[in-house]
Amino acid sequence: MTTSIFQNDIFKGKVAFVTGGGSGICKGMTEALMRHGADSVIVSRTLSKLEVAAKELAERTGRRCLPLACDVRNYADLETAFRKAQEHYGRIDIVICGAAGNFLASAERLSANGFKTVMEIDTIGTFNTCKAALPHLKQTKGCIISVSATFHYVGSPLQIHAAAAKAGVDAMTRTLAAEWGAYGIRINTITPGPIAGTTGMEKLTTKDTVDLVESVVPLKTWGQIRDIEYATLFLAHPESARFISGAVLVVDGGQWLVSGGGIVPESQWRGKL
Ligand code: COA
């Protein structure tokens, strides 16, 4: 997002804590909040990569970015990361649960450990993040945005692990919205469709499917990271989304409606994955 339709100081004085914020869509979400005045914390497993991303984000936006190593599968890691973030900035307002893992694999070939790994990163990781965030968000009446997918809306081949995991993420969004609304905390989900230039597109399509945009997306174009950035700004802001909690905002150009959750034709995967 080089220019924005939002005023550039709408998150001034706020702090965003983003799991998976060192790369891809979640880095874009972090940058968008920073460009609009927020400081940030980005967490993921590899500190060396995070440090590079944090420096870049700070240089591009003029805001502060704190990189912290953390495996979302470990609750204790998250408690520590939130404590350090709180000590560093004195507050946490926006939490984005973005850390995720995925790959194409048929249920027949996927190992039990492969299934468990994605469940642990996406579903348990999101629970751990939300739970560790709670004492901090209670103080600021902040918000949580989870990142989900559309795979579980239909039967999406090669995505049994991610479909199950993201169904859990959507369920938690609704439960937490019901439970934590009383604290003034809003919990919502952004569900990106096919977003060009991301790890997701790289890992979840094959070379040939990239050319299928005309038939798989009603709007006839791939999404851009900025599409997710705008959704983030809208849902994170306490004024524009004041009365929105428990929502799942699908940003996919209508893709899942016409082509389901996956875009690899069966002829390309049957017997191979
Ligand atoms: N196909 C099938 N199984 C796979 C796989 C693939 N492409 N990649 C990993 N697995 C399986 C492994 O074989 C292993 O199971 P096994 O012990 O039975 O062999 C299991 O998943 C765990 O793999 P491992 O590499 O040890 O896990 P990890 O925690 O290091 O990595 C992943 C997690 C697999 C999700 C990895 O792809 C990752 O970290 N991705 C992060 C980025 C990402 O995927 N983003 C997705 C955006 S859509």
Side-chain angles (χ1 to χ4, degrees), residues 10-237:
I10 54 174
F11 291 103
K12 194 170 172 208
K14 307 282 187 196
V15 175
F17 182 107
V18 185
T19 72
S23 63
I25 288 177
C26 297
K27 187 178 175 193
M29 295 165 89
T30 309
E31 182 169 337
L33 292 165
M34 292 174 73
R35 278 192 191 282
H36 293 78
D39 291 321
S40 73
V41 184
I42 53 174
V43 307
S44 70
R45 281 182 287 177
T46 316
L47 187 60
S48 54
K49 285 190 198 162
L50 279 179
E51 284 171 342
V52 174
K55 190 163 177 279
E56 198 185 314
L57 286 167
E59 280 170 5
R60 280 204 214 146
T61 63
R63 304 304 316 174
R64 295 178 291 168
C65 181
L66 175 68
L68 293 174
C70 169
D71 187 334
V72 294
R73 293 174 281 196
N74 297 327
Y75 182 69
D77 274 18
L78 279 155
E79 271 195 329
T80 304
F82 274 108
R83 183 177 41 75
K84 286 183 179 168
Q86 181 79 38
E87 283 166 8
H88 192 79
Y89 290 122
R91 62 185 298 135
I92 297 158
D93 303 271
I94 301 156
V95 172
I96 296 179
C97 307
N102 201 2
F103 44 78
L104 293 173
S106 63
E108 190 173 357
R109 295 194 178 209
L110 178 66
S111 72
N113 191 41
F115 183 85
K116 180 168 164 250
T117 299
V118 173
M119 291 296 290
E120 282 182 342
I121 299 171
D122 293 23
T123 315
I124 295 175
T126 295
F127 173 79
N128 287 344
T129 306
C130 293
K131 186 162 171 64
L134 180 61
H136 308 278
L137 293 179
K138 272 182 175 176
Q139 291 175 32
T140 55
K141 298 194 189 307
C143 72
I144 295 173
I145 296 175
S146 293
V147 179
S148 192
T150 58
F151 306 127
H152 53 293
Y153 296 1
V154 293
S156 300
L158 314 178
Q159 288 292 282
I160 192 166
H161 42 310
K166 296 301 193 182
V169 169
D170 289 3
M172 286 189 284
T173 294
R174 296 184 179 110
T175 299
L176 294 181
E179 290 192 7
W180 294 355
Y183 300 129
I185 300 172
R186 297 177 301 103
I187 296 95
N188 293 297
T189 291
I190 293 175
T191 296
I195 305 295
T198 59
T199 313
M201 277 292 269
E202 210 176 280
K203 290 178 93 172
L204 306 181
T205 57
T206 58
K207 197 167 159 287
D208 300 334
T209 57
V210 170
D211 299 328
L212 294 175
V213 63
E214 295 286 322
S215 56
V216 299
V217 185
L219 286 177
K220 312 293 181 208
T221 178
W222 298 122
Q224 302 293 329
I225 290 181
R226 75 165 192 276
D227 299 316
I228 308 303
E229 293 176 7
Y230 273 126
T232 304
L233 298 174
F234 168 69
L235 278 182
H237 201 276

